[in-house]
């Protein structure tokens, strides 16, 4: 849809339907879609297996933060001195995201893409998708074929990992409105309706930048 090159980054609460919304937006704007696909690219660039990246995907063993202060990671060349460190795996993913963004319009789901692409010359739109807890639990129950209590546990555990990972590598707070251009509750309009709402926002952003 968009003639201008555009990068759309989608952060999301677990069970909010953020990934589904991201796919809809990729179709609407003719963008390449990257969720776990970025792990495959990182694996090819690094020489590690994709499964190795999957084991550490958006997951950070946060005990390290108890012993030292946060440092910026994206431009740190010392990553490559320890190829098996968590930071190295993050850098390989960051390199894959930067490479994909250079090649054309993209929609990225998670993986700190908003931070990694903070200096990108293209139009970048950062979105965070949330939803009411009841709706999130229902979606997780359907996806994992589990009961309500199990779904709650999955949400708590995975979101804790996701937030720790994002906070550590970006120095920002996961889900905080200051980190995004738009935060939206998908429970209000539904997944299709939310995707339509976000697409209108993006179109207006593109029109404003092009001076139309």
């Amino acid at each position: 849809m968009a003639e201008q090159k555009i990068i759309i980054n989608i952060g999301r609460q677990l069970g909010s339907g953020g990934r589904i919304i991201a796919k809809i937006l990729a179709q609407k704007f003719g963008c390449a879609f990257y969720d776990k696909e970025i792990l495959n690219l990182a694996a090819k660039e690094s020489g590690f297996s994709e499964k190795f990246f999957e084991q550490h995907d958006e997951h950070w063993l946060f005990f390290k933060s108890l012993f030292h202060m946060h440092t910026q990671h994206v431009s740190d060349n010392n990553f490559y001195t320890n190829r098996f460190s968590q930071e190295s795996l993050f850098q390989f993913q960051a390199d894959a995201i930067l490479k994909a963004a250079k090649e054309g319009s993209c929609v990225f789901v998670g993986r700190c893409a908003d931070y990694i692409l903070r200096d990108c010359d293209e139009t970048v739109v950062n979105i965070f998708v949330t939803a009411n807890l009841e709706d999130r639990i229902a979606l997780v129950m359907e996806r994992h074929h589990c009961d309500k209590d199990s779904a709650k546990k999955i949400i708590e555990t995975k979101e804790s990992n996701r937030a720790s990972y994002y906070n550590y590598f970006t120095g920002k707070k996961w889900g905080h409105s200051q980190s995004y251009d738009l935060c939206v509750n998908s429970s209000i309009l539904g997944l299709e309706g939310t995707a339509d709402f976000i697409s209108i926002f993006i179109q207006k952003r593109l029109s404003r930048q092009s001076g139309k």
Side-chain angles (χ1 to χ4, degrees), residues 13-28:
Q13 284 190 305
L14 193 71
S16 66
R19 186 181 187 278
I20 297 170
I21 290 168
K23 270 209 155 182
I24 295 171
L25 291 171
Q27 294 172 351
K28 283 179 176 289

Side-chain angles (χ1 to χ4, degrees), residues 86-100:
Q86 199 94 24
E87 291 93 339
S88 296
L89 296 179
F90 176 82
Q91 184 64 54
F92 286 129
Q93 288 191 59
D95 290 344
I97 288 170
L98 288 164
K99 183 176 181 180

Side-chain angles (χ1 to χ4, degrees), residues 2-156:
E3 294 181 3
Q4 295 172 249
K5 184 176 175 182
I6 186 169
I7 306 298
I8 304 169
N9 300 315
I10 304 291
R12 74 284 183 220
Q13 284 190 305
L14 193 71
S16 66
R19 186 181 187 278
I20 297 170
I21 290 168
K23 270 209 155 182
I24 295 171
L25 291 171
Q27 294 172 351
K28 283 179 176 289
F29 288 93
C31 297
F33 175 80
Y34 294 100
D35 182 13
K36 289 188 180 297
E37 291 82 357
I38 209 67
L39 303 182
N40 180 260
L41 294 180
K44 288 180 180 178
E45 292 293 321
S46 67
F48 294 134
S49 70
E50 189 174 349
K51 284 188 176 181
F52 190 70
F53 281 91
E54 287 177 353
Q55 290 172 356
H56 299 83
D57 187 27
E58 291 192 309
H59 182 276
W60 175 245
L61 299 178
F62 211 53
F63 68 87
K64 292 185 70 174
S65 67
L66 298 175
F67 301 101
H68 60 77
M69 297 296 289
H70 167 77
T71 54
Q72 299 296 335
H73 293 280
V74 171
S75 61
D76 189 349
N77 292 328
N78 290 331
F79 276 144
Y80 297 97
T81 62
N82 180 1
R83 288 172 60 84
F84 289 95
S85 72
Q86 199 94 24
E87 291 93 339
S88 296
L89 296 179
F90 176 82
Q91 184 64 54
F92 286 129
Q93 288 191 59
D95 290 344
I97 288 170
L98 288 164
K99 183 176 181 180
K102 285 181 179 179
E103 293 176 352
S105 295
C106 301
V107 174
F108 294 103
V109 179
R111 294 171 185 82
C112 305
D114 60 307
Y115 178 74
I116 292 165
L117 297 170
R118 66 197 183 281
D119 296 323
C120 181
D121 293 332
E122 309 299 337
T123 299
V124 177
V125 183
N126 298 316
I127 309 292
F128 190 82
V129 181
T130 183
N132 296 342
L133 181 58
E134 296 79 9
D135 293 332
R136 294 165 57 209
I137 289 172
L139 193 150
V140 171
M141 287 174 63
E142 179 182 352
R143 183 183 298 163
H144 291 273
H145 306 289
C146 62
D147 60 24
K148 186 174 182 178
D149 289 339
S150 297
K152 280 184 177 179
K153 185 65 176 177
I154 290 170
I155 289 172
E156 290 171 1

